[in-house]
PDB file of all heavy atoms in Angstrom:
ATOM      1  N   SER A 399     -72.026 235.841  81.271  1.00 82.00           N
ATOM      2  CA  SER A 399     -70.767 235.014  80.637  1.00 82.00           C
ATOM      3  C   SER A 399     -71.291 233.588  80.235  1.00 82.00           C
ATOM      4  O   SER A 399     -71.926 233.048  81.002  1.00 82.00           O
ATOM      5  CB  SER A 399     -69.611 234.917  81.705  1.00 82.00           C
ATOM      6  OG  SER A 399     -69.156 236.250  81.947  1.00 82.00           O
ATOM      7  N   ARG A 400     -70.679 233.120  79.110  1.00 89.00           N
ATOM      8  CA  ARG A 400     -71.068 231.803  78.821  1.00 89.00           C
ATOM      9  C   ARG A 400     -69.853 231.154  78.067  1.00 89.00           C
ATOM     10  O   ARG A 400     -68.885 231.902  77.734  1.00 89.00           O
ATOM     11  CB  ARG A 400     -72.239 231.759  77.804  1.00 89.00           C
ATOM     12  CG  ARG A 400     -73.507 232.421  78.356  1.00 89.00           C
ATOM     13  CD  ARG A 400     -74.617 232.508  77.385  1.00 89.00           C
ATOM     14  NE  ARG A 400     -75.256 231.192  77.068  1.00 89.00           N
ATOM     15  CZ  ARG A 400     -76.210 230.662  77.791  1.00 89.00           C
ATOM     16  NH1 ARG A 400     -76.690 231.337  78.931  1.00 89.00           N
ATOM     17  NH2 ARG A 400     -76.637 229.445  77.599  1.00 89.00           N
ATOM     18  N   LEU A 401     -69.943 229.872  77.864  1.00 91.00           N
ATOM     19  CA  LEU A 401     -69.021 229.099  77.028  1.00 91.00           C
ATOM     20  C   LEU A 401     -69.601 228.864  75.760  1.00 91.00           C
ATOM     21  O   LEU A 401     -70.656 228.081  75.623  1.00 91.00           O
ATOM     22  CB  LEU A 401     -68.567 227.928  77.673  1.00 91.00           C
ATOM     23  CG  LEU A 401     -67.565 227.955  79.108  1.00 91.00           C
ATOM     24  CD1 LEU A 401     -67.344 226.543  79.486  1.00 91.00           C
ATOM     25  CD2 LEU A 401     -66.437 228.853  78.936  1.00 91.00           C
ATOM     26  N   TYR A 402     -68.989 229.288  74.537  1.00 90.00           N
ATOM     27  CA  TYR A 402     -69.599 229.122  73.311  1.00 90.00           C
ATOM     28  C   TYR A 402     -68.783 228.102  72.514  1.00 90.00           C
ATOM     29  O   TYR A 402     -67.521 228.228  72.405  1.00 90.00           O
ATOM     30  CB  TYR A 402     -69.595 230.425  72.506  1.00 90.00           C
ATOM     31  CG  TYR A 402     -70.487 231.480  73.157  1.00 90.00           C
ATOM     32  CD1 TYR A 402     -70.086 232.341  74.239  1.00 90.00           C
ATOM     33  CD2 TYR A 402     -71.950 231.689  72.756  1.00 90.00           C
ATOM     34  CE1 TYR A 402     -70.720 233.328  74.711  1.00 90.00           C
ATOM     35  CE2 TYR A 402     -72.683 232.579  73.371  1.00 90.00           C
ATOM     36  CZ  TYR A 402     -72.192 233.426  74.307  1.00 90.00           C
ATOM     37  OH  TYR A 402     -72.998 234.330  74.966  1.00 90.00           O
ATOM     38  N   SER A 403     -69.484 227.192  71.993  1.00 89.00           N
ATOM     39  CA  SER A 403     -68.720 226.071  71.197  1.00 89.00           C
ATOM     40  C   SER A 403     -68.062 226.637  69.834  1.00 89.00           C
ATOM     41  O   SER A 403     -68.638 227.408  69.183  1.00 89.00           O
ATOM     42  CB  SER A 403     -69.772 224.894  70.933  1.00 89.00           C
ATOM     43  OG  SER A 403     -69.124 223.923  70.032  1.00 89.00           O
ATOM     44  N   ARG A 404     -66.919 226.087  69.630  1.00 84.00           N
ATOM     45  CA  ARG A 404     -66.134 226.498  68.376  1.00 84.00           C
ATOM     46  C   ARG A 404     -66.248 225.337  67.476  1.00 84.00           C
ATOM     47  O   ARG A 404     -65.724 225.587  66.289  1.00 84.00           O
ATOM     48  CB  ARG A 404     -64.807 226.840  68.820  1.00 84.00           C
ATOM     49  CG  ARG A 404     -64.037 227.655  67.732  1.00 84.00           C
ATOM     50  CD  ARG A 404     -62.652 227.810  67.893  1.00 84.00           C
ATOM     51  NE  ARG A 404     -62.260 228.630  69.146  1.00 84.00           N
ATOM     52  CZ  ARG A 404     -61.049 228.859  69.472  1.00 84.00           C
ATOM     53  NH1 ARG A 404     -60.048 228.257  68.948  1.00 84.00           N
ATOM     54  NH2 ARG A 404     -60.813 229.587  70.509  1.00 84.00           N
ATOM     55  N   ASN A 405     -66.891 224.172  67.732  1.00 73.00           N
ATOM     56  CA  ASN A 405     -66.898 223.187  66.887  1.00 73.00           C
ATOM     57  C   ASN A 405     -67.975 223.258  65.693  1.00 73.00           C
ATOM     58  O   ASN A 405     -68.670 224.276  65.733  1.00 73.00           O
ATOM     59  CB  ASN A 405     -66.864 221.767  67.677  1.00 73.00           C
ATOM     60  CG  ASN A 405     -65.715 221.512  68.492  1.00 73.00           C
ATOM     61  OD1 ASN A 405     -65.529 222.335  69.561  1.00 73.00           O
ATOM     62  ND2 ASN A 405     -64.861 220.618  68.093  1.00 73.00           N
ATOM     63  N   THR A 406     -68.196 222.035  65.167  1.00 59.00           N
ATOM     64  CA  THR A 406     -69.192 222.092  64.038  1.00 59.00           C
ATOM     65  C   THR A 406     -70.630 222.555  64.503  1.00 59.00           C
ATOM     66  O   THR A 406     -71.310 223.226  63.844  1.00 59.00           O
ATOM     67  CB  THR A 406     -69.258 220.757  63.315  1.00 59.00           C
ATOM     68  OG1 THR A 406     -69.518 219.688  64.380  1.00 59.00           O
ATOM     69  CG2 THR A 406     -67.984 220.453  62.593  1.00 59.00           C
ATOM     70  N   ASP A 407     -70.921 221.890  65.633  1.00 61.00           N
ATOM     71  CA  ASP A 407     -72.188 222.384  66.448  1.00 61.00           C
ATOM     72  C   ASP A 407     -72.053 223.596  67.184  1.00 61.00           C
ATOM     73  O   ASP A 407     -71.819 223.492  68.343  1.00 61.00           O
ATOM     74  CB  ASP A 407     -72.731 221.233  67.121  1.00 61.00           C
ATOM     75  CG  ASP A 407     -74.206 221.389  67.620  1.00 61.00           C
ATOM     76  OD1 ASP A 407     -74.762 222.558  67.252  1.00 61.00           O
ATOM     77  OD2 ASP A 407     -74.745 220.577  68.330  1.00 61.00           O
ATOM     78  N   ALA A 408     -72.121 224.767  66.473  1.00 58.00           N
ATOM     79  CA  ALA A 408     -71.850 226.069  67.165  1.00 58.00           C
ATOM     80  C   ALA A 408     -73.026 226.416  68.194  1.00 58.00           C
ATOM     81  O   ALA A 408     -72.957 227.430  68.868  1.00 58.00           O
ATOM     82  CB  ALA A 408     -71.587 227.110  66.254  1.00 58.00           C
ATOM     83  N   SER A 409     -74.034 225.724  68.256  1.00 70.00           N
ATOM     84  CA  SER A 409     -75.175 225.966  68.916  1.00 70.00           C
ATOM     85  C   SER A 409     -74.955 225.650  70.342  1.00 70.00           C
ATOM     86  O   SER A 409     -75.767 225.949  71.435  1.00 70.00           O
ATOM     87  CB  SER A 409     -76.483 225.279  68.393  1.00 70.00           C
ATOM     88  OG  SER A 409     -76.245 223.862  68.546  1.00 70.00           O
ATOM     89  N   ILE A 410     -73.934 224.817  70.809  1.00 82.00           N
ATOM     90  CA  ILE A 410     -73.668 224.307  72.081  1.00 82.00           C
ATOM     91  C   ILE A 410     -73.236 225.559  72.893  1.00 82.00           C
ATOM     92  O   ILE A 410     -72.209 226.086  72.461  1.00 82.00           O
ATOM     93  CB  ILE A 410     -72.703 223.146  72.066  1.00 82.00           C
ATOM     94  CG1 ILE A 410     -73.280 221.860  71.381  1.00 82.00           C
ATOM     95  CG2 ILE A 410     -72.444 222.754  73.579  1.00 82.00           C
ATOM     96  CD1 ILE A 410     -72.354 220.791  71.320  1.00 82.00           C
ATOM     97  N   GLN A 411     -73.903 225.818  73.920  1.00 86.00           N
ATOM     98  CA  GLN A 411     -73.465 226.856  74.890  1.00 86.00           C
ATOM     99  C   GLN A 411     -73.619 226.390  76.325  1.00 86.00           C
ATOM    100  O   GLN A 411     -74.510 225.692  76.608  1.00 86.00           O
ATOM    101  CB  GLN A 411     -74.345 228.138  74.655  1.00 86.00           C
ATOM    102  CG  GLN A 411     -74.305 228.806  73.325  1.00 86.00           C
ATOM    103  CD  GLN A 411     -74.971 230.066  73.188  1.00 86.00           C
ATOM    104  OE1 GLN A 411     -75.575 230.643  74.188  1.00 86.00           O
ATOM    105  NE2 GLN A 411     -75.213 230.514  71.984  1.00 86.00           N
ATOM    106  N   ILE A 412     -72.624 226.821  77.128  1.00 89.00           N
ATOM    107  CA  ILE A 412     -72.680 226.448  78.548  1.00 89.00           C
ATOM    108  C   ILE A 412     -72.846 227.798  79.331  1.00 89.00           C
ATOM    109  O   ILE A 412     -72.023 228.578  79.400  1.00 89.00           O
ATOM    110  CB  ILE A 412     -71.527 225.645  78.993  1.00 89.00           C
ATOM    111  CG1 ILE A 412     -71.305 224.383  78.126  1.00 89.00           C
ATOM    112  CG2 ILE A 412     -71.542 225.248  80.432  1.00 89.00           C
ATOM    113  CD1 ILE A 412     -70.084 223.662  78.463  1.00 89.00           C
ATOM    114  N   GLY A 413     -74.030 227.874  79.869  1.00 87.00           N
ATOM    115  CA  GLY A 413     -74.280 229.085  80.784  1.00 87.00           C
ATOM    116  C   GLY A 413     -73.654 228.982  82.109  1.00 87.00           C
ATOM    117  O   GLY A 413     -73.589 227.955  82.702  1.00 87.00           O
ATOM    118  N   LEU A 414     -73.254 230.111  82.653  1.00 88.00           N
ATOM    119  CA  LEU A 414     -72.672 230.116  83.963  1.00 88.00           C
ATOM    120  C   LEU A 414     -73.360 230.898  84.932  1.00 88.00           C
ATOM    121  O   LEU A 414     -72.859 231.539  85.903  1.00 88.00           O
ATOM    122  CB  LEU A 414     -71.177 230.820  83.924  1.00 88.00           C
ATOM    123  CG  LEU A 414     -70.223 230.338  82.809  1.00 88.00           C
ATOM    124  CD1 LEU A 414     -68.900 231.044  82.808  1.00 88.00           C
ATOM    125  CD2 LEU A 414     -69.881 228.821  83.072  1.00 88.00           C
ATOM    126  N   GLU A 415     -74.784 230.892  84.754  1.00 84.00           N
ATOM    127  CA  GLU A 415     -75.639 231.641  85.699  1.00 84.00           C
ATOM    128  C   GLU A 415     -75.573 230.932  86.954  1.00 84.00           C
ATOM    129  O   GLU A 415     -75.829 231.605  88.052  1.00 84.00           O
ATOM    130  CB  GLU A 415     -77.066 231.607  85.090  1.00 84.00           C
ATOM    131  CG  GLU A 415     -77.350 232.376  83.851  1.00 84.00           C
ATOM    132  CD  GLU A 415     -77.015 231.611  82.511  1.00 84.00           C
ATOM    133  OE1 GLU A 415     -76.539 230.435  82.626  1.00 84.00           O
ATOM    134  OE2 GLU A 415     -76.954 232.256  81.527  1.00 84.00           O
ATOM    135  N   VAL A 416     -75.624 229.610  86.953  1.00 86.00           N
ATOM    136  CA  VAL A 416     -75.709 229.039  88.365  1.00 86.00           C
ATOM    137  C   VAL A 416     -74.383 228.019  88.421  1.00 86.00           C
ATOM    138  O   VAL A 416     -74.215 227.147  87.543  1.00 86.00           O
ATOM    139  CB  VAL A 416     -76.931 228.065  88.503  1.00 86.00           C
ATOM    140  CG1 VAL A 416     -77.055 227.353  89.707  1.00 86.00           C
ATOM    141  CG2 VAL A 416     -78.272 229.042  88.315  1.00 86.00           C
ATOM    142  N   LEU A 417     -73.692 228.304  89.391  1.00 88.00           N
ATOM    143  CA  LEU A 417     -72.342 227.483  89.639  1.00 88.00           C
ATOM    144  C   LEU A 417     -72.488 226.799  91.068  1.00 88.00           C
ATOM    145  O   LEU A 417     -73.166 227.348  91.833  1.00 88.00           O
ATOM    146  CB  LEU A 417     -71.208 228.335  89.540  1.00 88.00           C
ATOM    147  CG  LEU A 417     -70.987 229.056  88.206  1.00 88.00           C
ATOM    148  CD1 LEU A 417     -69.755 229.979  88.279  1.00 88.00           C
ATOM    149  CD2 LEU A 417     -70.782 227.989  87.110  1.00 88.00           C
ATOM    150  N   PRO A 418     -71.822 225.675  91.078  1.00 89.00           N
ATOM    151  CA  PRO A 418     -70.930 224.953  90.252  1.00 89.00           C
ATOM    152  C   PRO A 418     -71.734 224.079  89.182  1.00 89.00           C
ATOM    153  O   PRO A 418     -72.951 223.853  89.443  1.00 89.00           O
ATOM    154  CB  PRO A 418     -70.115 224.106  91.195  1.00 89.00           C
ATOM    155  CG  PRO A 418     -71.088 223.823  92.298  1.00 89.00           C
ATOM    156  CD  PRO A 418     -71.725 224.988  92.530  1.00 89.00           C
ATOM    157  N   ILE A 419     -70.966 223.880  88.117  1.00 91.00           N
ATOM    158  CA  ILE A 419     -71.538 222.968  87.042  1.00 91.00           C
ATOM    159  C   ILE A 419     -70.608 221.821  86.770  1.00 91.00           C
ATOM    160  O   ILE A 419     -69.483 222.044  86.536  1.00 91.00           O
ATOM    161  CB  ILE A 419     -71.765 223.764  85.811  1.00 91.00           C
ATOM    162  CG1 ILE A 419     -72.800 224.941  85.917  1.00 91.00           C
ATOM    163  CG2 ILE A 419     -72.167 223.058  84.486  1.00 91.00           C
ATOM    164  CD1 ILE A 419     -72.810 225.938  84.730  1.00 91.00           C
ATOM    165  N   THR A 420     -71.119 220.744  86.578  1.00 91.00           N
ATOM    166  CA  THR A 420     -70.438 219.476  86.319  1.00 91.00           C
ATOM    167  C   THR A 420     -70.652 219.201  84.841  1.00 91.00           C
ATOM    168  O   THR A 420     -71.793 219.024  84.493  1.00 91.00           O
ATOM    169  CB  THR A 420     -70.743 218.278  87.196  1.00 91.00           C
ATOM    170  OG1 THR A 420     -70.580 218.683  88.587  1.00 91.00           O
ATOM    171  CG2 THR A 420     -70.092 217.098  86.989  1.00 91.00           C
ATOM    172  N   VAL A 421     -69.593 219.050  84.186  1.00 92.00           N
ATOM    173  CA  VAL A 421     -69.703 218.738  82.633  1.00 92.00           C
ATOM    174  C   VAL A 421     -69.414 217.329  82.357  1.00 92.00           C
ATOM    175  O   VAL A 421     -68.353 216.806  82.961  1.00 92.00           O
ATOM    176  CB  VAL A 421     -68.662 219.630  81.883  1.00 92.00           C
ATOM    177  CG1 VAL A 421     -68.682 219.301  80.399  1.00 92.00           C
ATOM    178  CG2 VAL A 421     -69.005 221.216  82.099  1.00 92.00           C
ATOM    179  N   GLY A 422     -70.109 216.621  81.622  1.00 90.00           N
ATOM    180  CA  GLY A 422     -69.978 215.240  81.396  1.00 90.00           C
ATOM    181  C   GLY A 422     -71.001 214.596  80.480  1.00 90.00           C
ATOM    182  O   GLY A 422     -71.912 215.456  80.022  1.00 90.00           O
ATOM    183  N   LYS A 423     -71.175 213.327  80.325  1.00 89.00           N
ATOM    184  CA  LYS A 423     -72.209 212.760  79.501  1.00 89.00           C
ATOM    185  C   LYS A 423     -73.028 211.807  80.168  1.00 89.00           C
ATOM    186  O   LYS A 423     -73.793 211.094  79.703  1.00 89.00           O
ATOM    187  CB  LYS A 423     -71.593 212.161  78.305  1.00 89.00           C
ATOM    188  CG  LYS A 423     -70.678 210.982  78.554  1.00 89.00           C
ATOM    189  CD  LYS A 423     -70.057 210.508  77.172  1.00 89.00           C
ATOM    190  CE  LYS A 423     -69.082 209.234  77.319  1.00 89.00           C
ATOM    191  NZ  LYS A 423     -68.611 208.764  76.099  1.00 89.00           N
ATOM    192  N   LEU A 424     -72.823 211.651  81.622  1.00 84.00           N
ATOM    193  CA  LEU A 424     -73.607 210.732  82.334  1.00 84.00           C
ATOM    194  C   LEU A 424     -74.797 211.494  82.991  1.00 84.00           C
ATOM    195  O   LEU A 424     -74.648 212.322  83.858  1.00 84.00           O
ATOM    196  CB  LEU A 424     -72.768 209.979  83.536  1.00 84.00           C
ATOM    197  CG  LEU A 424     -73.435 209.180  84.447  1.00 84.00           C
ATOM    198  CD1 LEU A 424     -73.892 207.936  83.672  1.00 84.00           C
ATOM    199  CD2 LEU A 424     -72.506 208.649  85.520  1.00 84.00           C
ATOM    200  N   ALA A 425     -75.953 211.056  82.551  1.00 83.00           N
ATOM    201  CA  ALA A 425     -77.169 211.726  83.042  1.00 83.00           C
ATOM    202  C   ALA A 425     -77.372 211.392  84.468  1.00 83.00           C
ATOM    203  O   ALA A 425     -77.242 210.237  84.906  1.00 83.00           O
ATOM    204  CB  ALA A 425     -78.428 211.291  82.191  1.00 83.00           C
ATOM    205  N   GLY A 426     -77.851 212.454  85.147  1.00 79.00           N
ATOM    206  CA  GLY A 426     -77.999 212.130  86.653  1.00 79.00           C
ATOM    207  C   GLY A 426     -76.848 212.653  87.392  1.00 79.00           C
ATOM    208  O   GLY A 426     -76.979 212.861  88.633  1.00 79.00           O
ATOM    209  N   ARG A 427     -75.762 212.615  86.855  1.00 80.00           N
ATOM    210  CA  ARG A 427     -74.449 213.074  87.643  1.00 80.00           C
ATOM    211  C   ARG A 427     -74.016 214.385  86.946  1.00 80.00           C
ATOM    212  O   ARG A 427     -73.366 215.271  87.702  1.00 80.00           O
ATOM    213  CB  ARG A 427     -73.336 211.955  87.456  1.00 80.00           C
ATOM    214  CG  ARG A 427     -73.543 210.778  88.341  1.00 80.00           C
ATOM    215  CD  ARG A 427     -73.271 211.117  89.800  1.00 80.00           C
ATOM    216  NE  ARG A 427     -73.256 209.919  90.641  1.00 80.00           N
ATOM    217  CZ  ARG A 427     -73.011 209.825  91.893  1.00 80.00           C
ATOM    218  NH1 ARG A 427     -72.531 210.965  92.439  1.00 80.00           N
ATOM    219  NH2 ARG A 427     -72.976 208.683  92.357  1.00 80.00           N
ATOM    220  N   ALA A 428     -74.009 214.629  85.815  1.00 86.00           N
ATOM    221  CA  ALA A 428     -73.522 215.758  85.115  1.00 86.00           C
ATOM    222  C   ALA A 428     -74.670 216.946  84.995  1.00 86.00           C
ATOM    223  O   ALA A 428     -75.811 216.435  84.702  1.00 86.00           O
ATOM    224  CB  ALA A 428     -72.899 215.462  83.775  1.00 86.00           C
ATOM    225  N   ASP A 429     -74.406 218.184  85.219  1.00 88.00           N
ATOM    226  CA  ASP A 429     -75.371 219.162  84.937  1.00 88.00           C
ATOM    227  C   ASP A 429     -75.365 219.678  83.572  1.00 88.00           C
ATOM    228  O   ASP A 429     -76.442 219.915  83.129  1.00 88.00           O
ATOM    229  CB  ASP A 429     -75.003 220.453  85.986  1.00 88.00           C
ATOM    230  CG  ASP A 429     -74.858 220.004  87.414  1.00 88.00           C
ATOM    231  OD1 ASP A 429     -75.830 219.572  88.029  1.00 88.00           O
ATOM    232  OD2 ASP A 429     -73.751 220.351  88.057  1.00 88.00           O
ATOM    233  N   CYS A 430     -74.347 219.717  82.925  1.00 90.00           N
ATOM    234  CA  CYS A 430     -74.202 220.024  81.516  1.00 90.00           C
ATOM    235  C   CYS A 430     -73.771 218.723  80.835  1.00 90.00           C
ATOM    236  O   CYS A 430     -72.689 218.292  80.913  1.00 90.00           O
ATOM    237  CB  CYS A 430     -73.205 221.063  81.267  1.00 90.00           C
ATOM    238  SG  CYS A 430     -73.088 221.500  79.467  1.00 90.00           S
ATOM    239  N   ILE A 431     -74.836 218.116  80.027  1.00 90.00           N
ATOM    240  CA  ILE A 431     -74.518 216.840  79.413  1.00 90.00           C
ATOM    241  C   ILE A 431     -74.004 217.104  77.885  1.00 90.00           C
ATOM    242  O   ILE A 431     -74.721 217.714  77.154  1.00 90.00           O
ATOM    243  CB  ILE A 431     -75.789 215.954  79.282  1.00 90.00           C
ATOM    244  CG1 ILE A 431     -76.168 215.639  80.783  1.00 90.00           C
ATOM    245  CG2 ILE A 431     -75.545 214.739  78.589  1.00 90.00           C
ATOM    246  CD1 ILE A 431     -77.627 214.837  80.820  1.00 90.00           C
ATOM    247  N   LEU A 432     -72.818 216.646  77.589  1.00 90.00           N
ATOM    248  CA  LEU A 432     -72.276 216.785  76.198  1.00 90.00           C
ATOM    249  C   LEU A 432     -72.046 215.330  75.704  1.00 90.00           C
ATOM    250  O   LEU A 432     -71.333 214.606  76.097  1.00 90.00           O
ATOM    251  CB  LEU A 432     -70.981 217.490  76.403  1.00 90.00           C
ATOM    252  CG  LEU A 432     -70.823 218.938  76.924  1.00 90.00           C
ATOM    253  CD1 LEU A 432     -69.408 219.344  76.866  1.00 90.00           C
ATOM    254  CD2 LEU A 432     -71.668 219.827  76.158  1.00 90.00           C
ATOM    255  N   LYS A 433     -73.005 214.985  74.745  1.00 88.00           N
ATOM    256  CA  LYS A 433     -73.066 213.720  74.125  1.00 88.00           C
ATOM    257  C   LYS A 433     -71.974 213.759  72.966  1.00 88.00           C
ATOM    258  O   LYS A 433     -72.150 213.981  71.846  1.00 88.00           O
ATOM    259  CB  LYS A 433     -74.355 213.429  73.551  1.00 88.00           C
ATOM    260  CG  LYS A 433     -75.479 213.220  74.539  1.00 88.00           C
ATOM    261  CD  LYS A 433     -75.352 211.979  75.424  1.00 88.00           C
ATOM    262  CE  LYS A 433     -76.418 211.892  76.402  1.00 88.00           C
ATOM    263  NZ  LYS A 433     -76.366 210.700  77.208  1.00 88.00           N
ATOM    264  N   HIS A 434     -70.610 213.343  73.459  1.00 89.00           N
ATOM    265  CA  HIS A 434     -69.575 213.311  72.533  1.00 89.00           C
ATOM    266  C   HIS A 434     -68.656 212.219  72.920  1.00 89.00           C
ATOM    267  O   HIS A 434     -68.444 212.010  74.087  1.00 89.00           O
ATOM    268  CB  HIS A 434     -68.883 214.674  72.391  1.00 89.00           C
ATOM    269  CG  HIS A 434     -67.923 214.774  71.272  1.00 89.00           C
ATOM    270  ND1 HIS A 434     -66.559 214.372  71.333  1.00 89.00           N
ATOM    271  CD2 HIS A 434     -68.086 215.256  69.931  1.00 89.00           C
ATOM    272  CE1 HIS A 434     -65.988 214.614  70.081  1.00 89.00           C
ATOM    273  NE2 HIS A 434     -66.970 215.018  69.246  1.00 89.00           N
TER     274      HIS A 434
END
């Protein structure tokens, strides 16, 4: 299972292989970094 982006950049995917996952844009604190 994964999260697939629906926006213009459809290449963004968030894998759920290893949980928990923290989503954010602060490097060092977030596991999945989304620069938006």
Side-chain angles (χ1 to χ4, degrees):
S399 301
R400 305 178 73 84
L401 297 181
Y402 297 87
S403 175
R404 196 190 291 179
N405 296 74
T406 54
D407 189 0
S409 62
I410 299 177
Q411 298 180 12
I412 302 176
L414 305 180
E415 293 84 1
V416 180
L417 295 178
I419 296 173
T420 302
V421 180
K423 62 181 180 182
L424 181 61
R427 286 284 187 174
D429 302 309
C430 176
I431 299 176
L432 300 177
K433 296 292 185 179
H434 195 270

